[in-house]
Amino acid sequence: MKKFLALMIILLAILGALLQFVLPRTVESIVAEQITNATAAEDVAVSLSANPNARIALGEIDRVHGTANEGRIGDINFKNLTVDGEKIYLDVPELLFPSKNLNARERTNKILQHADKIELRGIVTEDELKNFIASKDVKFEDPKVKLMPEEATASARVKFFGRTIDVSVAGIFTVSNGEIFFHINKLNTNSILSRVNPDSFVSDLKIIDSSNLPIGLKFDSVELREGEVVVTAVTSKK
């Protein structure tokens, strides 16, 4: 009888250690893998916390914090991404034993059962916006981008009625219906376009929309800084 009780105590201790330490770290590792698969990011790190910690093994998470470098969302590469969340409930069996025939977005949405709050922040650099402009269907030659807190400026050589001209624009980034746009409010004044209303020459340039985001995230704000743009996406209760 004593041997049996001793064995049960040992087994319970092992189970407790698994719930408290091993399974939470396993869940963190799998969540980090999901972020890597969704964004092709590098150096992904995820930290989950709950009280007690064993609740993580049941999918009950008080807080989550994650970071990633060089992630991609839609057509934009981000210098880094940061995600923070509160009161999150995960489908752990789905996380550990994924269903078949689900794409990455469907599986992510199935894994996340509920979240009081999730906030995603990303930084986009001048060089990435320059590459984004160069990749558009309209051929921009030698694009340049300058980001300052008060406005963003861009210049390039473009084809216009058979001529190649220098075009410079200035504007701000805006968010409308979960989509991020570059709104042009100034057009260069040293070319044949000097008297053209920017609104009649080019519409707002869509940078990225929320359809590229998982788990109900919607772009909420854009902040211009020197040399970079900081975008924020949030999700409400689910």
Side-chain angles (χ1 to χ4, degrees):
M1 185 66 176
K2 290 182 179 180
K3 291 183 178 180
F4 176 77
L5 289 175
L7 179 60
M8 289 300 296
I9 291 172
I10 292 172
L11 289 176
L12 288 173
I14 293 173
L15 178 60
L18 285 172
L19 292 175
Q20 185 73 11
F21 302 107
V22 179
L23 280 178
R25 301 291 81 81
T26 300
V27 173
E28 285 180 347
S29 177
I30 295 175
V31 171
E33 182 182 356
Q34 292 299 304
I35 293 175
T36 301
N37 292 339
T39 64
E42 302 175 357
D43 301 322
V44 178
V46 174
S47 174
L48 308 177
S49 62
N51 189 17
N53 208 46
R55 289 173 50 228
I56 295 176
L58 303 177
E60 300 176 6
I61 300 165
D62 293 334
R63 295 184 181 277
V64 60
H65 176 73
T67 59
N69 294 326
E70 305 297 335
R72 186 176 183 85
I73 299 176
D75 295 327
I76 296 290
N77 287 313
F78 287 79
K79 177 182 177 181
N80 60 56
L81 294 163
T82 303
V83 62
D84 289 283
E86 298 176 1
K87 299 298 181 183
I88 296 170
Y89 295 88
L90 303 179
D91 184 338
V92 175
E94 178 63 32
L95 194 66
L96 298 174
F97 309 103
S99 301
K100 296 181 179 179
N101 303 320
L102 292 181
N103 60 40
R105 182 179 297 275
E106 290 170 340
R107 186 174 178 227
T108 299
N109 290 334
K110 185 172 183 180
I111 290 171
L112 182 66
Q113 295 186 321
H114 172 87
D116 274 10
K117 178 184 177 181
I118 295 179
E119 180 179 280
L120 174 71
R121 289 169 60 86
I123 294 178
V124 183
T125 64
E126 290 176 346
D127 284 342
E128 174 51 31
L129 287 174
K130 180 182 69 175
N131 295 335
F132 174 76
I133 292 172
S135 70
K136 303 307 290 180
D137 291 337
V138 177
K139 298 303 180 183
F140 295 97
E141 299 177 5
D142 192 27
K144 295 180 175 62
V145 174
K146 183 68 175 178
L147 301 176
M148 299 295 290
E150 62 276 7
E151 68 176 6
T153 60
S155 63
R157 296 179 61 81
V158 299
K159 294 287 186 180
F160 188 74
F161 290 112
R163 296 180 58 182
T164 300
I165 60 174
D166 294 319
V167 174
S168 298
V169 298
I172 59 174
F173 290 90
T174 62
V175 178
S176 178
N177 297 321
E179 299 178 332
I180 297 177
F181 295 89
F182 178 59
H183 175 70
I184 297 172
N185 52 33
K186 295 178 185 176
L187 195 61
N188 68 314
T189 59
N190 58 354
S191 75
I192 60 174
L193 300 175
S194 59
R195 297 183 181 180
V196 175
N197 184 330
D199 290 337
S200 65
F201 175 66
V202 62
S203 60
D204 288 354
L205 177 63
K206 183 190 293 187
I207 304 299
I208 188 171
D209 63 61
S210 294
S211 66
N212 295 287
L213 297 174
I215 58 179
L217 285 164
K218 298 288 185 183
F219 286 111
D220 180 69
S221 65
V222 185
E223 177 189 359
L224 267 173
R225 297 178 181 175
E226 186 172 353
E228 62 187 25
V229 179
V230 181
V231 303
T232 302
V234 298
T235 185
S236 57
K237 291 185 179 181
K238 193 181 167 185

